[in-house]
Amino acid sequence: MNKKMSYSRVAGQRMNCELRRISRNLTFVARNSSTVFLFAGILVWLSGCVSSEKLQKNQYLLYSQTVRGNRAIPSADLEALIPQRPNRRILRLPLTPSLWVYQLGSRTYDKAAAQRALDAKRKEYDQFVAQPDSTQSHRKQLKRYNRQLGRLNRRVEEGNWVMRSLGEPPAYYYETDAKANAQKMQRFLYNKGFLRGKVSYTADSTTALGRRVRVTYTITENTPFYLNQITYQIADPRVDSIVRATLSRSSLLKKGDRYDADKVEAERIRIEELLRNNGYYSFTRQYIPLPLDVLDPDTARTDSTDLTPRRLNMWVKIVNPPGQSSHPVYKIGEVEVRVLRTEDRASADTVSHNGLRFYLGRQQYSMRLLDSRIFLRPDSLYRLKNYQDTQRQLFLLNQFSFANISFLDTTARRLRTRISLIPIDKYEITTEGGIFVLYQGQGYPGPFGNLSFRIHNIFGGLGTFETSVRYGIEATTGFTNVSRGAIYLAQEFGLNTSMTFPHILFPGKSRFVFNRLSPRTQISLGYTYTSRPEYGRRLLRTAMSYSWLKNNTKQFNFIVADINYLKASIKSDLVGQAFQQELDRQAALGSTIKNSFRNAFASSIGFIYTYNTNVLGQNRRANFLRISVESGGTTLNLFSKEQLRNIFQTTDASGLQYYKYLRANADFRHYIPLRSKTTLAFRVNSGLVYGYGDNKTAPYEKLFFAGGSNSIRAWLPRRLGPGSAIPYTQPEDILVPDFRAGRPGQFRYDFEQPGDILLESSAELRTHLFHLGGDINGAFFIDAGNVWTLRDVAERIGENFLFRKSGADYLPRNFVQQIAVGTGIGLRIDFSFFIIRFDGAVKVYDPARYFIYDPDRNGYVIEGKHIGERIDERYILPKFRFDKMFRGVNPLVINFGIGYPF
């Protein structure tokens, strides 16, 4: 014992000496770049000392695990069979900061003391529970005890706060684990058709790694086995006819495929669902016994080096229940539907409708609509799909807090069915409050509140009526030179109402075709008023839409009508006048932002298809696809231009402007899990809008934008583009000019830059860092993209989508050279119920930073015929400097968001 304490004391003294020595030399290392490698070597050596400090004799840390030799089986599938994970390292170097922190925290951790505290608290808890009491204070104290016991139990099992939240426990190497992993891999090979596959492992502990071990698993697949003949032997003739009718189109076992145990199990599940959808209520896959009979017709071949594919004959048997000559077939018997609360059971009303018996409480319901969601009908054959669709559709009505289907009796092979539904409260009020967050330097925190009122089952038709009121105040800066830097008050008020019906509102019986697809019809009416120091906007919007779900991954939305009336006004004070001048200036450069501050009428119809296999909280390979098409002002094509001008009183400067446009957008995302808590995510987003009315554009909200927390994050929201056009053409419009050097400074992005064409993509690597109240995750990302215009404006060069070389040789030759690129890192705080996200990004390639500097004109010109010094700063990443992180030519842009960017 004394020897151990003495050794620990000496080791600690040596450790402190080393740390003090390194601290004294830090300044020297920073000044002399030639010592960087020496410093890195010291860190690596120190890593070995710290990590190995508490290792016992013959105890080693797990450094890495590698799978080699496999050709047909993906390495990721084999690595997933290994439950042990080495401690996280930095840049694949033997630097494990999380392990260091864990070991530092363990120095002040006393497990025995923690266990004594837990035992004492449990004893105190048992004494408290022994005194029964139903008062509110007793229940609060009970909850307090449970929280305290939970914290103490975590302390015993996982260590103190530093060890749990900031550190990572050491990952030890055990030969028994490696042996078990090799056996699991060999079984996996067998199940994937490599029946003679072999797996071995080697453990390498080199002196360079200290007391660390590299484990290498060597895979020898050998020749695979393929299915030759598949024979089904089914004892029940009726079952035989049902199964064989589906073999050619639905069977998962195909002649010539490599043997796969997962496909065999999937075939058992398919047959089970097939029969349960044909009346076989009591059939389970246990009647398809495992292991399935498999025969190798090539048993005469004994040479293991022979790589010729081998063949397997397979027999799939379906046996009858013990002592019976066939499987029983069931039908649905009496069906009763109970829509009751507990207090309504004594006074329930009984109503019969369409063969169903309803027991209703105080609320009245549309029997026709309820009946349309119930697919279990008396005297019909039992089908699993009808059972699942009934439960799913009743739950998706959003009118019941509980929906359950049970079969009470199976006498005479008839299933007496009870559907139990508990209604939610008819009236519901919810409130929400918070503060506006800082938005890229354009706003400051301010309060907002939202009040919502809902009525469920309105008029007894299973519909929902909702109205919400929102009001917010925000301190904000202005856009113009007159208002920039001053603090003003901005207000927002919104009133929205909606009616949601659980069916398609459409004349005729065709609306009932959607009964199994969770149909909805929503009619909404909303009013929004926004007041800023420069302008005021009033928007009145009404819309009607249909939606339905084909399954859990496919959703369809049809917008029947979306009608908007906008009334905007520029304020007449000095700030408003300066803002009007800026709008005119942007319009002269080709921007359509001025249109959003004119009175306007817009209508549209559209269709949206969404395919999503991504499940929140599950790290697995998944896809997301959203395609939308929209036609604006379609009905206006029935009128001539003169008629429309008379109707809307439209002139070049006054009256209502109207829009005719076509719009399409496609958004695709792909997620690849690399490890249990590491994901590689990709996104490609594209869009096109074409305005064919008199104004040749679409409503401002329908145009495309690039930049911001969900787009190209190195640019401010909606400020990127269009194309390679610079935001301003005069030197005084650049924020930090340097005319003597002939170099532009940081651009000033004051106005949004809309476009008609959008093309952007992102790649993001997401991984878990540590736990601190919630999961702290990190990300590294690269974004690329831009927006372009279809119109050609003479005052602005480089905003068009180019397929070929431009007339000016200094401009980008095609749209590829107009794609902006940014990169950065992110931090995500995951509280499971929501995610707070911070992303910091810098520009890598800015297609707008290509100029001609003319000292005579004291400015930057973009005329191809002008002679001057050409300045190419498109590759702008080297302009980023840590000492001028937020004020340099290439500043760090911080984005705040809720949830993941894609």
Side-chain angles (χ1 to χ4, degrees):
M1 181 67 178
N2 293 332
K3 289 182 179 181
K4 291 183 179 179
M5 293 179 62
S6 177
Y7 170 78
S8 177
R9 188 179 299 111
V10 171
Q13 291 174 354
R14 290 181 179 176
M15 182 67 187
N16 292 331
C17 292
E18 291 297 330
L19 289 176
R20 286 195 296 269
R21 186 175 66 82
I22 292 172
S23 177
R24 288 195 301 268
N25 291 310
L26 280 177
T27 305
F28 172 78
V29 171
R31 291 178 179 176
N32 190 347
S33 59
S34 64
T35 60
V36 171
F37 293 104
L38 176 61
F39 181 62
I42 294 174
L43 283 179
V44 173
W45 173 81
L46 182 62
S47 168
C49 293
V50 175
S51 301
S52 306
E53 182 180 357
K54 290 191 175 182
L55 292 178
Q56 303 297 324
K57 185 178 180 181
N58 297 327
Q59 194 175 45
Y60 294 86
L61 291 173
L62 181 61
Y63 182 74
S64 66
Q65 299 176 121
T66 308
V67 176
R68 295 178 179 176
N70 52 304
R71 291 172 297 177
I73 304 297
S75 297
D77 293 347
L78 296 169
E79 292 172 353
L81 302 173
I82 306 176
Q84 300 82 25
R85 289 291 179 265
N87 293 110
R88 292 192 297 271
R89 295 178 285 146
I90 298 178
L91 300 176
R92 302 184 67 84
L93 297 173
L95 303 176
T96 54
S98 297
L99 179 57
W100 302 349
V101 173
Y102 183 89
Q103 292 180 340
L104 291 174
S106 66
R107 294 180 178 180
T108 60
Y109 172 63
D110 188 344
K111 186 172 184 179
Q115 185 64 51
R116 288 194 298 269
L118 176 60
D119 295 339
K121 184 59 66 175
R122 282 177 177 170
K123 184 177 180 180
E124 186 179 339
Y125 172 79
D126 293 338
Q127 293 175 354
F128 180 79
V129 173
Q131 303 173 359
D133 191 349
S134 59
T135 62
Q136 185 175 0
S137 60
H138 186 274
R139 291 194 295 270
K140 289 183 178 179
Q141 183 63 27
L142 188 62
K143 292 181 180 179
R144 190 177 299 112
Y145 272 121
N146 288 329
R147 289 195 299 269
Q148 293 173 351
L149 287 171
R151 286 195 296 267
L152 290 173
N153 189 62
R154 286 196 300 272
R155 184 178 178 85
V156 171
E157 294 181 353
E158 302 175 17
N160 56 31
W161 179 84
V162 174
M163 299 166 65
R164 295 194 310 269
S165 301
L166 304 179
E168 183 182 58
Y172 296 114
Y173 165 75
Y174 296 104
E175 186 176 3
T176 54
D177 292 338
K179 184 176 181 180
N181 295 334
Q183 292 174 349
K184 285 190 291 185
M185 291 182 186
Q186 186 158 340
R187 287 195 298 270
F188 186 81
L189 290 178
Y190 184 93
N191 290 334
K192 290 299 179 180
F194 298 93
L195 276 61
R196 298 186 178 180
K198 301 294 181 182
V199 179
S200 60
Y201 69 91
T202 57
D204 179 23
S205 176
T206 62
T207 57
L209 297 176
R211 301 182 66 178
R212 291 181 170 93
V213 173
R214 297 179 186 267
V215 182
T216 302
Y217 296 93
T218 303
I219 311 298
T220 305
E221 294 173 344
N222 288 323
T223 182
F225 283 71
Y226 293 87
L227 297 180
N228 180 41
Q229 293 181 358
I230 306 170
T231 305
Y232 286 79
Q233 296 180 347
I234 305 174
D236 188 332
R238 188 174 185 273
V239 171
D240 183 80
S241 62
I242 295 174
V243 172
R244 291 188 186 279
T246 65
L247 292 181
S248 59
R249 67 177 185 274
S250 302
S251 177
L252 302 176
L253 303 178
K254 303 292 185 181
K255 182 178 180 179
D257 288 352
R258 193 179 71 204
Y259 172 79
D260 190 332
D262 291 337
K263 285 189 177 182
V264 173
E265 181 62 20
E267 176 69 2
R268 296 177 71 213
I269 295 174
R270 184 193 72 85
I271 294 175
E272 179 187 54
E273 293 181 353
L274 171 67
L275 295 177
R276 288 174 67 86
N277 277 314
N278 281 274
Y280 293 93
Y281 166 75
S282 59
F283 186 89
T284 67
R285 74 195 73 166
Q286 304 303 323
Y287 293 111
I288 311 175
L290 280 178
L292 302 181
D293 290 341
V294 176
L295 176 64
D296 178 11
D298 300 328
T299 52
R301 294 164 49 188
T302 59
D303 184 5
S304 60
T305 61
D306 185 2
L307 299 180
T308 306
R310 295 177 178 268
R311 298 172 298 156
L312 286 176
N313 293 336
M314 176 178 291
W315 282 264
V316 181
K317 297 181 180 180
I318 303 179
V319 301
N320 288 332
Q324 299 185 30
S325 60
S326 63
H327 288 270
V329 178
Y330 290 84
K331 289 187 176 182
I332 301 297
E334 177 185 350
V335 179
E336 59 181 49
V337 184
R338 295 177 176 265
V339 191
L340 300 170
R341 301 177 187 272
T342 304
E343 60 271 18
D344 296 336
R345 293 178 180 177
S347 57
D349 294 332
T350 304
V351 179
S352 296
H353 178 83
N354 199 20
L356 306 182
R357 185 183 298 273
F358 291 87
Y359 296 87
L360 304 177
R362 299 175 185 177
Q363 292 192 40
Q364 297 299 316
Y365 294 88
S366 169
M367 296 296 99
R368 184 176 184 180
L369 288 175
L370 268 180
D371 176 76
S372 67
R373 296 296 189 275
I374 298 173
F375 309 106
L376 298 170
R377 316 305 300 187
D379 297 326
S380 66
L381 201 64
Y382 167 82
R383 299 187 188 278
L384 177 64
K385 179 177 175 54
N386 290 341
Y387 168 84
Q388 294 173 336
D389 287 351
T390 299
Q391 191 163 36
R392 178 168 174 265
Q393 294 301 319
L394 290 173
F395 176 77
L396 291 176
L397 286 173
N398 292 328
Q399 301 292 331
F400 308 106
S401 60
F402 178 81
N404 181 61
I405 303 175
S406 57
F407 299 106
L408 306 179
D409 190 10
T410 60
T411 305
R413 297 182 181 179
R414 296 181 65 84
L415 303 174
R416 182 188 171 197
T417 307
R418 173 179 291 179
I419 302 174
S420 301
L421 306 172
I422 298 180
I424 61 178
D425 294 336
K426 187 174 182 67
Y427 303 102
E428 180 183 0
I429 297 178
T430 58
T431 58
E432 179 185 7
I435 60 172
F436 292 105
V437 296
L438 182 67
Y439 184 69
Q440 299 296 342
Q442 299 295 328
Y444 295 89
F448 72 88
N450 187 65
L451 175 66
S452 298
F453 173 68
R454 295 184 186 88
I455 304 177
H456 297 285
N457 190 35
I458 188 170
F459 308 129
L462 296 175
T464 301
F465 171 82
E466 180 177 1
T467 182
S468 62
V469 180
R470 176 185 174 91
Y471 179 73
I473 302 174
E474 181 183 7
T476 182
T477 59
F479 290 110
T480 64
N481 290 326
V482 174
S483 60
R484 187 177 295 112
I487 305 299
Y488 296 92
L489 186 67
Q491 302 179 70
E492 179 181 300
F493 171 80
L495 175 63
N496 295 279
T497 60
S498 65
M499 280 284 296
T500 303
F501 302 94
H503 57 96
I504 300 296
L505 287 180
F506 193 80
K509 295 183 178 181
S510 59
R511 66 182 185 273
F512 296 111
V513 174
F514 296 87
N515 283 343
R516 291 181 183 262
L517 304 178
S518 306
R520 291 182 183 279
T521 300
Q522 185 178 65
I523 302 174
S524 60
L525 177 65
Y527 171 79
T528 303
Y529 170 71
T530 303
S531 175
R532 280 185 54 91
E534 301 89 356
Y535 62 85
R537 297 180 86 234
R538 297 173 175 85
L539 177 64
L540 181 65
R541 178 177 182 266
T542 182
M544 178 178 178
S545 63
Y546 299 143
S547 65
W548 62 94
L549 298 170
K550 186 173 182 180
N551 50 45
N552 293 333
T553 61
K554 297 179 181 179
Q555 180 177 350
F556 302 85
N557 293 85
F558 176 52
I559 297 90
V560 180
D562 187 349
I563 303 173
N564 298 266
Y565 171 69
L566 172 66
K567 187 174 183 181
S569 60
I570 306 298
K571 296 186 177 180
S572 58
D573 56 9
L574 185 62
V575 176
Q577 293 175 6
F579 183 67
Q580 182 66 58
Q581 294 175 1
E582 291 287 354
L583 291 178
D584 294 338
R585 187 177 184 177
Q586 288 292 314
L589 294 174
S591 174
T592 59
I593 189 173
K594 186 176 180 180
N595 292 333
S596 62
F597 298 97
R598 291 182 56 188
N599 298 339
F601 172 84
S603 63
S604 66
I605 61 174
F607 183 80
I608 302 173
Y609 166 73
T610 304
Y611 173 78
N612 185 15
T613 61
N614 187 30
V615 179
L616 187 64
Q618 295 185 9
N619 186 19
R620 59 186 181 88
R621 186 179 291 268
N623 294 308
F624 173 91
L625 174 64
R626 185 179 185 271
I627 299 176
S628 64
V629 292
E630 184 177 348
S631 175
T634 308
T635 56
L636 300 182
N637 292 318
L638 302 176
F639 303 91
S640 64
K641 293 183 179 180
E642 292 75 14
Q643 291 174 323
L644 292 175
R645 287 182 172 270
N646 293 332
I647 294 173
F648 296 111
Q649 299 295 310
T650 304
T651 66
D652 293 337
S654 63
L656 283 177
Q657 60 174 338
Y658 57 90
Y659 298 93
K660 297 180 181 180
Y661 64 93
L662 298 173
R663 187 180 191 273
N665 178 230
D667 185 357
F668 174 74
R669 308 167 191 179
H670 183 57
Y671 306 91
I672 303 175
L674 301 180
R675 291 187 177 180
S676 60
K677 293 186 178 181
T678 302
T679 303
L680 188 59
F682 298 94
R683 182 192 188 193
V684 177
N685 187 23
S686 62
L688 172 67
V689 58
Y690 170 69
Y692 61 93
D694 287 346
N695 49 18
K696 302 299 181 182
T697 187
Y700 195 72
E701 291 77 7
K702 301 298 182 180
L703 299 176
F704 294 103
F705 300 87
S709 62
N710 295 86
S711 182
I712 315 299
R713 283 163 278 189
W715 274 260
L716 296 175
R718 297 184 166 210
R719 300 308 199 266
L720 173 59
S724 58
I726 61 176
Y728 296 96
T729 59
Q730 300 299 322
E732 63 269 15
D733 296 322
I734 299 177
L735 184 62
V736 190
D738 186 358
F739 303 118
R740 289 175 300 176
R743 294 292 187 271
Q746 181 186 136
F747 279 178
R748 194 184 79 214
Y749 296 95
D750 290 338
F751 283 88
E752 299 177 352
Q753 302 294 342
D756 303 318
I757 299 175
L758 169 70
L759 182 62
E760 62 181 4
S761 62
S762 297
E764 183 170 290
L765 179 64
R766 303 166 181 170
T767 187
H768 178 74
L769 299 179
F770 55 89
H771 185 84
L772 182 62
D775 287 332
I776 310 300
N777 301 320
F780 170 75
F781 57 84
I782 298 176
D783 303 323
N786 210 331
V787 294
W788 294 265
T789 61
L790 293 175
R791 296 182 302 160
D792 187 9
V793 180
E795 293 80 3
R796 202 171 193 178
I797 296 179
E799 66 175 0
N800 298 113
F801 192 84
L802 303 175
F803 283 104
R804 59 183 181 275
K805 182 178 179 180
S806 175
D809 58 0
Y810 65 90
L811 290 176
R813 297 175 179 271
N814 50 49
F815 77 94
V816 176
Q817 295 181 346
Q818 293 178 314
I819 294 178
V821 180
T823 186
I825 58 176
L827 188 69
R828 290 91 164 90
I829 306 174
D830 189 350
F831 294 104
S832 71
F833 51 93
F834 75 98
I835 297 172
I836 298 177
R837 171 167 53 91
F838 296 93
D839 289 325
V842 295
K843 301 175 181 64
V844 176
Y845 181 87
D846 187 348
R849 298 187 71 92
Y850 201 135
F851 313 92
I852 294 180
Y853 177 73
D854 181 9
D856 297 331
R857 298 174 57 174
N858 194 32
Y860 302 97
V861 297
I862 55 176
E863 299 172 2
K865 62 182 180 180
H866 199 83
I867 299 176
E869 179 187 359
R870 296 183 180 180
I871 303 173
D872 185 359
E873 293 184 347
R874 287 178 292 184
Y875 180 61
I876 196 175
L877 183 62
K879 297 288 184 179
F880 173 74
R881 293 176 56 182
F882 285 99
D883 58 340
K884 295 183 179 180
M885 186 175 296
F886 297 102
R887 54 187 176 89
V889 176
N890 187 9
L892 179 69
V893 178
I894 301 296
N895 291 277
F896 171 84
I898 301 296
Y900 287 104
F902 56 89

